[in-house]
Amino acid sequence: MPCQTLRRLGQKLVQKRKLEKPEATNKQSRSLNTVELMVLGLDYILDISVYFLAGEVARDIAGPSTVICFLVAGLASVLAGLCYAEISARVPHSGFSYLYTYVTVGELGAFVTGWNLILSFVAYTALVIQAWTLALDNLFGNQISQALTESISLHVSRVFAKILGFFAMGLVLLLIELLTLNIRQLFLVSKVVTVVNLLVVSFFIISGFMKGDLHNWKLTEEDYIKAGLNETSSLGSLGSGGFMPFGFRGILRGSATCFYVFIGFGYIVDIVKRTQNPKRSISMGIVISLLICFLVYFGVSVALTLMVPYYQLRPGSTLPQVFAHIGWAPAYYAVAFGFLCSLSASFLGYMFPISQAIYVMAQDGLLFPVLARIRTGTCAPIMGTMIFGITVAIMTFFFGLTDLVDLMSLGALLDYSLVAFYVLILRYQPEMESGGNEAQVQEENGSATEKLTLHRIIFPDSSTPTPLSGQVVSVCSSLLALLLTLLCLVLVQTQWPGLLSGDPWWITVVVLLLVLITGITGVIWRQPQSSSPLHFKVPGLPLLPLLSIFVNVCLMMQMTAVTWALLGVWMLIGFALYIAYGIQYSLVSNHT
């Protein structure tokens, strides 16, 4: 009985959602070409972070080597984007990562993906509110914060004065969101704002090369002493100087934070139904958008660190303040205008997906049904806004810009690691011709007739995937995920570059892990792959998904304990909701 119960529970967790055949779409509905798709991708990737993230990373994390951080994060995003594109290619519907995971992997994976997606949207909303307050305060010379502190602090504490300022700004943004939900020309607004962002950022990059000083990449302890910072220099809070003041670990830590800026490529895949030529537009849109955004962030970080010594950047510094530092007042207001435009577009583009994600998950029975009326009822939208608005308020009040960015990066890295893991498994699974139930019967029958031997593992009898080969790949992929995680832990513990000159015990452990990883990867490589036609497939299996997992896990290991604790609390809340409600009332379970 216990074994049967656990087996039914396991089958329930991996039940897949069945989709109806996609409706035929006319030429008018497929209105986006490759260029427009690329612009839309730029709108989501080239967001408000371009105005502050480089300064945050350069100040306390990586220094001038921030330029390398964006390179590493961009390469990691390319690997993740390729895996995400194949997952989406398996689902002939427009949607987002939650839907793709539900159809291809199962219910539990879909819930984890969707719950993390909601966290990203909520954290981003809190980030926009903070950035709005910061931008307006900087634009008026910090007079808003000073006025609130001086006037309100006479009656309440300084903390409550700051909270009231955030509350007022959040209320304004909420009204903007409510007023713009029915705007049909949002895409036109996005294109205009994207062009403005590119022009403003291009002006900033050109100015950086004109006014920059290469000496800011070669700072020494003498420069700290001249600046009156001799007490914190020499491997202190400001690092050790030079191009990499915080060392190799600083580059890895900065890359983990910078990964967030590239996650917008998912929205290109999500609107595949609206493209004129999905087979060409999706892959081209992802690659070109990521390339342009990398060049933009790379240029911004170069210009920023050349114009201003990294130790002079203040927490919360934005690009307009750089021109105030060098005395270009007109440029200050021009770049501040672009910052405000980017903030407006970011808010318009990210508030609605929160409601959409909650609505879809509630419709599937994974969240409480009252949230399913979030877009149509009269009281439910208020309830949904209150529940997640409180979460946004908590994040806004108690966490800074870098904390929120780290939280979004960690959630995205976790999701894309799972996506790469799913791609690795699904490519080697047998075809499901008549739905999930029949596939389960075929798997049981196949497992009974095939015997697992070493010869069949290394030299499979069939040129197409079988239930046995699929099980071998599933087990090997799980072992590889565990071994790659252990390898990342060891590398972080030994601080990477010092591994060769370190303890022989750690070197032995690393070599042993690499041997095991290579052997298991060889076993997967020997298994037959599915030949089902897809408009995009990840090249270089199984190496590319494994490389994506390794890079993502390495970056995840760089996150602080506070960020991991926040993600852990959020996931505990999600699993509690899923166990209490979703696992019993999901539509997929009730229809089987």
Side-chain angles (χ1 to χ4, degrees), residues 132-289:
W132 252 109
T133 307
L134 181 65
L136 289 180
D137 195 28
N138 292 337
L139 189 61
F140 292 100
N142 298 327
Q143 294 180 4
I144 297 177
S145 59
Q146 292 177 3
L148 285 172
T149 302
E150 293 174 359
S151 60
I152 301 179
S153 294
L154 297 176
H155 306 284
V156 296
S157 67
R158 193 175 294 261
V159 174
F160 280 100
K162 181 180 179 181
I163 289 177
L164 288 175
F166 281 135
F167 176 79
M169 185 55 58
L171 181 60
V172 172
L173 294 177
L174 178 61
L175 292 176
I176 293 175
E177 190 266 342
L178 293 176
L179 290 174
T180 55
L181 282 179
N182 294 324
I183 291 181
R184 296 180 180 271
Q185 303 300 325
L186 183 58
F187 179 67
L188 177 61
V189 175
S190 299
K191 289 198 292 186
V192 173
V193 173
T194 300
V195 172
V196 172
N197 276 336
L198 288 175
L199 291 176
V200 171
V201 172
S202 299
F203 170 74
F204 180 84
I205 294 173
I206 296 173
S207 301
F209 285 101
M210 293 174 55
K211 299 289 291 184
D213 184 0
L214 194 59
H215 179 70
N216 290 330
W217 283 11
K218 304 175 183 178
L219 298 173
T220 62
E221 190 170 344
E222 295 181 359
D223 296 297
Y224 296 146
I225 296 175
K226 292 179 181 179
L229 302 171
N230 55 311
E231 295 181 357
T232 57
S233 62
S234 184
L235 298 179
S237 60
L238 298 179
S240 58
F243 183 73
M244 298 170 53
F246 300 95
F248 185 71
R249 173 167 288 188
I251 292 178
L252 289 178
R253 176 68 182 86
S255 301
T257 301
C258 294
F259 183 82
Y260 138 77
V261 304
F262 296 101
I263 63 177
F265 64 79
Y267 296 97
I268 298 177
V269 182
D270 295 343
I271 57 172
V272 58
K273 193 176 181 180
R274 295 174 54 191
T275 57
Q276 297 173 0
N277 186 3
K279 295 183 179 180
R280 181 176 181 271
S281 298
I282 295 301
S283 57
M284 291 292 294
I286 289 177
V287 173
I288 296 176
S289 296

Side-chain angles (χ1 to χ4, degrees), residues 490-518:
V490 172
L491 293 176
V492 170
Q493 180 68 26
T494 55
Q495 300 184 9
W496 289 60
L499 178 64
L500 296 178
S501 59
D503 191 345
W505 163 254
W506 290 115
I507 298 177
T508 304
V509 172
V510 170
V511 171
L512 179 60
L513 289 174
L514 290 176
V515 170
L516 291 175
I517 290 172
T518 303

Side-chain angles (χ1 to χ4, degrees), residues 202-472:
S202 299
F203 170 74
F204 180 84
I205 294 173
I206 296 173
S207 301
F209 285 101
M210 293 174 55
K211 299 289 291 184
D213 184 0
L214 194 59
H215 179 70
N216 290 330
W217 283 11
K218 304 175 183 178
L219 298 173
T220 62
E221 190 170 344
E222 295 181 359
D223 296 297
Y224 296 146
I225 296 175
K226 292 179 181 179
L229 302 171
N230 55 311
E231 295 181 357
T232 57
S233 62
S234 184
L235 298 179
S237 60
L238 298 179
S240 58
F243 183 73
M244 298 170 53
F246 300 95
F248 185 71
R249 173 167 288 188
I251 292 178
L252 289 178
R253 176 68 182 86
S255 301
T257 301
C258 294
F259 183 82
Y260 138 77
V261 304
F262 296 101
I263 63 177
F265 64 79
Y267 296 97
I268 298 177
V269 182
D270 295 343
I271 57 172
V272 58
K273 193 176 181 180
R274 295 174 54 191
T275 57
Q276 297 173 0
N277 186 3
K279 295 183 179 180
R280 181 176 181 271
S281 298
I282 295 301
S283 57
M284 291 292 294
I286 289 177
V287 173
I288 296 176
S289 296
L290 289 178
L291 177 61
I292 294 177
C293 286
F294 162 71
L295 294 176
V296 169
Y297 282 98
F298 182 86
V300 167
S301 57
V302 169
L304 176 66
T305 53
L306 285 177
M307 281 194 289
V308 183
Y310 73 92
Y311 60 81
Q312 292 185 5
L313 295 170
R314 298 179 180 179
S317 295
T318 58
L319 296 191
Q321 292 178 285
V322 175
F323 290 104
H325 175 81
I326 63 177
W328 282 16
Y332 171 83
Y333 289 103
V335 178
F337 172 75
F339 189 15
L340 293 176
C341 289
S342 180
L343 282 168
S344 302
S346 297
F347 186 79
L348 296 177
Y350 277 84
M351 274 302 296
F352 183 74
I354 298 179
S355 301
Q356 185 183 26
I358 298 171
Y359 174 78
V360 172
M361 292 183 69
Q363 283 280 56
D364 290 335
L366 300 182
L367 294 178
F368 295 108
V370 65
L371 297 177
R373 300 192 301 271
I374 193 168
R375 297 191 301 178
T376 56
T378 56
C379 297
I382 299 177
M383 182 178 298
T385 302
M386 288 294 295
I387 293 174
F388 291 93
I390 292 174
T391 307
V392 171
I394 294 174
M395 291 183 175
T396 304
F397 297 156
F398 295 103
F399 302 105
L401 293 174
T402 306
D403 296 327
L404 295 173
V405 171
D406 284 345
L407 186 60
M408 295 175 64
S409 295
L410 181 57
L413 287 167
L414 177 60
D415 278 346
Y416 292 130
S417 299
L418 293 175
V419 167
F421 180 74
Y422 299 152
V423 168
L424 186 61
I425 292 179
L426 292 173
R427 183 76 74 86
Y428 294 92
Q429 298 304 312
E431 300 294 331
M432 293 186 301
E433 300 180 354
S434 303
N437 293 334
E438 185 171 331
Q440 292 176 2
V441 173
Q442 292 176 356
E443 182 175 347
E444 293 176 359
N445 294 336
S447 299
T449 56
E450 292 183 292
K451 293 183 179 180
L452 182 63
T453 62
L454 182 60
H455 183 271
R456 283 187 173 178
I457 291 177
I458 301 178
F459 302 100
D461 298 332
S462 175
S463 60
T464 59
T466 63
L468 179 61
S469 66
Q471 290 179 356
V472 169

